[in-house]
C-alpha cells in the first residue's frame, strides 16, 4: 500500500477533528497556530483550503468551528484514526473545553492517551469497560490515561456546566460506584452549588471514595489558570500542575510518595493529594 504523507500542519488538527467530531478555531489557535496574527490568519485559511475540513450548518461560520469533510474522513481512515460523528451544536462549547483540557495535559507529557465520549461510544469500548449490570451504562465525557509506569492509570472526566435535577447527580454517582476500571473521577464544575449537590448524592449513596476517589475542580480556574487550578478531595487541596508532576514522576517530591502515586492499588493515585498539602 502506498504510504500517506500528511503535512505536519494538517496532522494535528485532523487528529483532533477525528477524535472529537469537530475542530474550533480557538483550539487551533491555542495548540496548532503559530506566528503573529497575520500568519495565523493565513495558516488557518491554508488549512481550510486543503479540503479536509468543511463547515457544519449548525455550527455557524467556517471561521469558528468545522468538521472533517468526506475527503478528511478518508484520510483519517487511512491513518487509522477512525473518525467519529460531529456532536450537536448545543454540546460544542462543553466538548471544546474538554478537548482543550486533554490537549493541555498531552502537550505537558502528563497523559499518554485520551478518548472522547464519541470515541468511547463509536468503538464500543465504553460499553465494554464501563457497563454496570444494575444501572444504566455511563459513558464519561472524557477518559484520560496518565503517563505512569508500569501501569497506566485511567481517569474519567465529567464537565458539569449547568445545574441539573438532583436525580441526574444520583445517576452519575451511582454509575461510577460500579465502574471498577476507573481509578478516579475528576468532576469539573461551573458553580459551587453543583459540587455541593454531587457531594450530597455521594453521601447518601455511600460512594466508595477510598476505592474510586472523586475529585473536583472549578471550570473557570481550569480555563484561565490550568497549572494552578485547585483539585479538591474533601479537605485536601493541590494545584493541578503539582499533582500531575507527582502523578507522572516528573517532580522533586519524595520517592516514597511517588511510589504510592504510581502504584497499582485502586485509590493510590490520589495519595499525593492527601500527603502533599
Amino acid at each position: 500500500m502506498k504510504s500517506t504523507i500528511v503535512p505536519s500542519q494538517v496532522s494535528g488538527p485532523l487528529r483532533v477533528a477525528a477524535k472529537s467530531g469537530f475542530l474550533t478555531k480557538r483550539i487551533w489557535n491555542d495548540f496548532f497556530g503559530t506566528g503573529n496574527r497575520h500568519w495565523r490568519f493565513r495558516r488557518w485559511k491554508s488549512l481550510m483550503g486543503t479540503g479536509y475540513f468543511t463547515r457544519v450548518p449548525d455550527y455557524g461560520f467556517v471561521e469558528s468551528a468545522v468538521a472533517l469533510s468526506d475527503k478528511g474522513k478518508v484520510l483519517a481512515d487511512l491513518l487509522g484514526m477512525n473518525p467519529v460523528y460531529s456532536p450537536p451544536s448545543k454540546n460544542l462549547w462543553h466538548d471544546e473545553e474538554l478537548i482543550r483540557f486533554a490537549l493541555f495535559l498531552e502537550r505537558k507529557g502528563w497523559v499518554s492517551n485520551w478518548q472522547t465520549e464519541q470515541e468511547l461510544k463509536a468503538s464500543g469500548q465504553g460499553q465494554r469497560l464501563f457497563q454496570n449490570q444494575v444501572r444504566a451504562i455511563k459513558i464519561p465525557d472524557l477518559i484520560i490515561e496518565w503517563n505512569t509506569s508500569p501501569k497506566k492509570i485511567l481517569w474519567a472526566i465529567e464537565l458539569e456546566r449547568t445545574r441539573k435535577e438532583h436525580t441526574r447527580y444520583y445517576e452519575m454517582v451511582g454509575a461510577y460506584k460500579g465502574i471498577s476500571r476507573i481509578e478516579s473521577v475528576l468532576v469539573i464544575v461551573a458553580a459551587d452549588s453543583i459540587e455541593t449537590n454531587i457531594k450530597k448524592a455521594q453521601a447518601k449513596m455511600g460512594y466508595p471514595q477510598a476505592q474510586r476517589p472523586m475529585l473536583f475542580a472549578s471550570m473557570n480556574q481550569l480555563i484561565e489558570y490550568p497549572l494552578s487550578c485547585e483539585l479538591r478531595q474533601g479537605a485536601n487541596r493541590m494545584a493541578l500542575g503539582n499533582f500531575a508532576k507527582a502523578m507522572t514522576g516528573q517532580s522533586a517530591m519524595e520517592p516514597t510518595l511517588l511510589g504510592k502515586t504510581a502504584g497499582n492499588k485502586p485509590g493510590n493515585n490520589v495519595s499525593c493529594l492527601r500527603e502533599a498539602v
Side-chain angles (χ1 to χ4, degrees), residues 1 4 30 40 67 120 124 127 162 179 188 191 237 254 271:
M1 180 181 292
T4 302
D30 288 347
R40 284 172 181 263
L120 293 168
Q127 287 81 355
T162 57
I179 300 179
I188 304 165
R237 305 287 187 271
E254 294 294 331
S271 60

Side-chain angles (χ1 to χ4, degrees), residues 80-94:
M81 292 181 179
N82 301 318
V84 302
Y85 60 87
S86 299
S89 58
K90 66 179 182 179
N91 293 347
L92 193 64
W93 195 90
H94 171 276

Side-chain angles (χ1 to χ4, degrees), residues 11-276:
S11 59
L14 189 83
R15 172 176 173 257
V16 169
K19 289 173 70 65
S20 62
F22 68 95
L23 173 72
T24 64
K25 193 172 183 181
R26 181 181 176 217
I27 289 174
W28 181 85
N29 265 317
D30 288 347
F31 297 97
F32 305 107
T34 57
N36 58 31
R37 183 178 179 181
H38 171 72
W39 278 106
R40 284 172 181 263
F41 175 80
R42 291 186 61 177
R43 285 167 179 158
W44 174 259
K45 287 293 186 183
S46 176
L47 181 66
M48 294 303 104
T50 61
Y52 296 130
F53 301 89
T54 185
R55 67 177 66 213
V56 179
D58 288 347
Y59 292 173
F61 297 108
V62 70
E63 293 298 329
S64 57
V66 295
L68 289 180
S69 65
D70 290 341
K71 177 182 176 182
K73 291 176 182 177
V74 169
L75 178 58
D77 278 325
L78 286 174
L79 297 174
M81 292 181 179
N82 301 318
V84 302
Y85 60 87
S86 299
S89 58
K90 66 179 182 179
N91 293 347
L92 193 64
W93 195 90
H94 171 276
D95 290 1
E96 181 186 47
E97 292 305 333
L98 290 166
I99 301 307
R100 291 180 71 249
F101 181 48
L103 288 171
F104 168 79
L105 294 173
E106 185 175 63
R107 286 293 176 90
K108 293 292 183 183
W110 291 330
V111 300
S112 54
N113 190 28
W114 53 274
Q115 289 183 286
T116 62
E117 180 180 0
Q118 293 98 311
E119 285 184 288
L120 293 168
K121 288 179 177 178
S123 66
Q125 188 175 358
Q127 287 81 355
R128 291 192 297 272
L129 289 178
F130 312 123
Q131 187 169 9
N132 186 305
Q133 297 299 323
V134 178
R135 298 179 179 274
I137 294 173
K138 168 62 182 171
I139 307 296
D141 288 341
L142 180 73
I143 290 290
I144 61 172
E145 184 179 272
W146 287 101
N147 193 17
T148 51
S149 180
K151 176 188 175 185
K152 302 300 182 185
I153 292 176
L154 292 179
W155 274 28
I157 312 293
E158 296 287 340
L159 174 55
E160 297 292 330
R161 293 178 53 218
T162 57
R163 294 179 180 85
K164 296 183 174 71
E165 294 291 333
H166 287 191
T167 54
R168 296 284 298 277
Y169 299 130
Y170 283 96
E171 289 173 0
M172 182 183 77
V173 169
Y176 278 116
K177 284 182 65 175
I179 300 179
S180 59
R181 291 292 304 276
I182 295 295
E183 300 281 350
S184 294
V185 184
L186 173 60
V187 184
I188 304 165
V189 296
D192 293 342
S193 59
I194 297 175
E195 181 175 340
T196 298
N197 288 335
I198 294 174
K199 288 179 176 177
K200 287 180 180 178
Q202 285 182 294
K204 289 188 177 181
M205 299 191 72
Y207 182 79
Q209 188 71 4
Q211 289 77 34
R212 193 165 305 108
M214 187 172 286
L215 293 77
F216 294 88
S218 297
M219 183 181 72
N220 288 339
Q221 277 190 7
L222 193 65
I223 293 173
E224 296 180 17
Y225 310 105
L227 281 175
S228 59
C229 176
E230 181 183 80
L231 300 186
R232 302 182 289 273
Q233 185 202 2
N236 301 306
R237 305 287 187 271
M238 192 173 189
L240 172 63
N242 293 337
F243 182 88
K245 289 177 183 178
M247 176 75 101
T248 59
Q250 301 177 39
S251 174
M253 300 178 72
E254 294 294 331
T256 54
L257 181 58
L258 296 178
K260 291 181 181 179
T261 302
N264 293 332
K265 294 182 179 180
N268 277 357
N269 52 322
V270 296
S271 60
C272 58
L273 184 65
R274 295 188 181 115
E275 299 182 32

